[in-house]
Amino acid sequence: MKKTSISFGLVNIPVAINPIIKNNDISFNQLHKKCNSRIKYVKYCPHCKKEVKQADIIRGYEYQSDKYITLTDEEFDRLKSEDEKTIEVVGFINLNEVDPVYYEKSYVVTVNNKNKAYSLFKEALLKTKKVALAKTVIGTKFYYVILRLTEEALVMNTLYFYEEVMIPEAVVNVKYTKKELDLAIELINSLSMKFKPEELIDEYQDKVKKAIDTKVNGKEIKKTKRKSEKSIKDLMTALELSLKNV
């Protein structure tokens, strides 16, 4: 949990931020194939020819070949302005103006609901149907962020910068028939659904868990059968068969 505040004009709202996402992937240790002993990672200095403790490691930037300047945590902290230590709102935008490709990490913003300034901020967002564009520093990294209301909470999304997003050039459209378009629309409509994240299960991780249980019980893991897929090159035929299989 990181305690900070939202700066909204001259209004200040004390908040705390917590990452929303947790990694549910099953983790494995690396073992020596010969004896199944766990592998250890040693941080080693080739110049001093000895193992180095974490407390003796600092960060350095290579500005020329084998030449480094170093920056301490204190020096990084000096680069932060007082404003950057808060979540400073710089403006308000429509959420649909932000392509989801720019979203990086998600945080839940916890606030005292009895805080009058927060209640006002929340109601203003609801009435205007806007989201706040703000800037802040998390760790040593500067971010622009989106503050938006969900049904459950106030959420903060960090954003990638424009130069970080590698959007490919637009693909040249190829001509298609009206019948093909009608079938494509019909297929989309037949597969339309509501987004229910609680129903989206990590099928691969489930298989890994079952495989672990199988091995623990001394049994052999059987190969998963692949579904047979027909290779259909004709677009019209593929669309028609797809509709039949819905």
Side-chain angles (χ1 to χ4, degrees):
M1 177 187 291
K2 176 188 175 182
K3 290 186 177 180
T4 180
S5 62
I6 297 172
S7 173
F8 170 41
L10 296 177
V11 179
N12 194 272
I13 307 169
V15 299
I17 60 171
N18 276 304
I20 291 177
I21 307 302
K22 66 174 183 176
N23 190 345
N24 277 337
D25 289 354
I26 295 170
S27 59
F28 289 86
N29 295 314
Q30 292 190 329
L31 309 178
H32 186 191
K33 186 178 180 180
K34 182 179 179 181
C35 62
N36 271 10
S37 296
R38 189 167 174 178
I39 299 298
K40 291 184 177 180
Y41 288 94
V42 178
K43 294 182 178 179
Y44 180 79
C45 175
H47 180 267
C48 298
K49 294 184 171 59
K50 68 175 185 178
E51 184 179 345
V52 181
K53 294 179 180 179
Q54 183 61 43
D56 295 324
I57 296 175
I58 58 175
R59 284 175 287 187
Y61 175 79
E62 187 177 23
Y63 64 95
Q64 286 181 12
S65 180
D66 291 330
K67 290 187 177 181
Y68 299 87
I69 55 97
T70 63
L71 287 170
T72 65
D73 290 340
E74 292 77 13
E75 287 172 322
F76 273 113
D77 200 50
R78 287 175 205 156
L79 299 176
K80 300 178 187 177
S81 69
E82 289 302 314
D83 289 341
E84 289 173 350
K85 293 179 182 179
T86 67
I87 303 168
E88 182 189 358
V89 175
V90 296
F92 294 89
I93 61 175
N94 296 318
L95 185 59
N96 60 10
E97 293 176 10
V98 185
D99 191 313
V101 74
Y102 284 96
Y103 291 137
E104 186 191 18
K105 294 180 181 177
S106 300
Y107 296 82
V108 64
V109 183
T110 54
V111 194
N112 183 348
N113 285 322
K114 294 182 180 179
N115 183 293
K116 185 177 180 181
Y118 171 66
S119 296
L120 181 67
F121 181 68
K122 179 180 176 181
E123 189 63 21
L125 288 179
L126 288 170
K127 292 288 186 184
T128 59
K129 297 180 180 179
K130 299 279 187 180
V131 298
L133 177 65
K135 59 183 180 179
T136 192
V137 169
I138 301 174
T140 59
K141 188 172 179 183
F142 176 88
Y143 289 98
Y144 276 96
V145 300
I146 294 292
L147 294 168
R148 59 187 179 88
L149 288 168
T150 67
E151 291 183 4
E152 294 82 17
L154 179 64
V155 171
M156 183 178 84
N157 296 107
T158 57
L159 301 177
Y160 288 110
F161 288 97
Y162 179 78
E163 60 270 20
E164 293 178 300
V165 178
M166 306 292 289
I167 299 177
E169 293 181 7
V171 178
V172 178
N173 287 327
V174 181
K175 290 184 179 181
Y176 47 81
T177 66
K178 183 180 182 304
K179 178 64 175 176
E180 288 170 336
L181 178 59
D182 290 341
L183 287 173
I185 292 171
E186 188 179 346
L187 181 59
I188 289 172
N189 288 334
S190 64
L191 293 172
S192 293
M193 59 190 290
K194 287 188 176 180
F195 178 62
K196 296 179 180 178
E198 68 277 9
E199 295 180 2
L200 306 180
I201 299 167
D202 190 334
E203 297 176 8
Y204 179 72
Q205 290 299 315
D206 276 358
K207 289 177 183 177
V208 173
K209 289 174 186 175
K210 289 176 183 176
I212 289 171
D213 290 338
T214 300
K215 294 276 286 188
V216 169
N217 292 323
K219 297 179 181 179
E220 185 181 346
I221 298 172
K222 294 180 180 179
K223 189 174 181 180
T224 306
K225 292 181 180 179
R226 290 186 62 184
K227 293 181 181 178
S228 57
E229 295 180 357
K230 295 179 181 178
S231 179
I232 302 170
K233 294 183 179 180
D234 182 67
L235 181 58
M236 181 69 77
T237 304
L239 288 165
E240 290 172 340
L241 288 175
S242 297
L243 280 166
K244 285 182 181 179
N245 292 329
V246 171

